[in-house]
Amino acid sequence: MVSGLILGCLALSVGAVAFAHDGQQEFMPGPGMNHQMPNPENREEHMKNSIDKLVNDGTITQKQATKLISFFKEKDAQRKSEMDKTRSMTPEERDKFFKEKFNQRPDMIKELKDAAGLSDEQAKAVDDALRPPHRPGPEGGPCCPKLPTP
């Protein structure tokens, strides 16, 4: 169970974070939890559609779009390779690997800029188009709604 949780977190931090919901709607149950969840089976199609929309809108060029698609395919291959590598590790080695990995949070905007030669605005637009929306946070911030004080 812990390994599954660790693998899921790694997948989110490395590549899956970049991929988002493609319009098929699923909802999380529970109070205040009615936001849409991404559909992992269609993430590549969603990524391509989102990037194509950015090209059609004139936000990025077709050459940049091609570089972005190659970048995401390479990231996915790296993620799969790392997961294969962790299968042969002992639990202690795996824990050490994931602790090191999670201490090195990727800067997606910088990676997008470097991979496709994007400007700050273009990288932000790509990031916004590919990431799923987040619900409001604590005290009205990015995660949870502000709670009334007693």
Side-chain angles (χ1 to χ4, degrees), residues 8 11-12 14-22 24 38-51 72-73 75-77 79-80 129-130:
L12 284 174
V14 174
V17 171
F19 303 114
H21 183 46
D22 71 340
Q24 293 182 350
N39 187 346
E41 293 84 30
N42 297 323
R43 68 181 183 202
E44 188 173 329
E45 180 182 337
H46 167 72
M47 178 195 65
K48 184 174 179 347
N49 291 340
S50 297
I51 290 175
F72 286 120
K73 286 182 180 180
K75 285 294 244 185
D76 195 40
R79 181 188 55 80
K80 287 177 183 177
L130 295 177

Side-chain angles (χ1 to χ4, degrees), residues 13 72 93 131:
S13 69
F72 286 120
E93 291 172 329
R131 289 184 189 244

Side-chain angles (χ1 to χ4, degrees), residues 18-34:
F19 303 114
H21 183 46
D22 71 340
Q24 293 182 350
Q25 299 192 8
E26 293 181 27
F27 296 96
M28 284 187 69
M33 302 289 285
N34 62 352

Side-chain angles (χ1 to χ4, degrees), residues 77-116:
Q78 288 173 355
R79 181 188 55 80
K80 287 177 183 177
S81 173
E82 287 177 350
M83 291 303 105
D84 289 342
K85 188 170 96 174
T86 61
R87 288 187 182 109
S88 64
M89 293 179 178
T90 66
E92 294 81 21
E93 291 172 329
R94 195 175 301 121
D95 287 343
K96 181 181 176 188
F97 172 79
F98 284 122
K99 284 179 185 175
E100 289 173 5
K101 187 78 173 164
F102 286 124
N103 288 332
Q104 302 168 1
R105 304 274 314 174
D107 181 356
M108 187 56 72
I109 299 292
K110 182 181 181 325
E111 289 184 20
L112 291 171
K113 287 170 53 177
D114 293 344

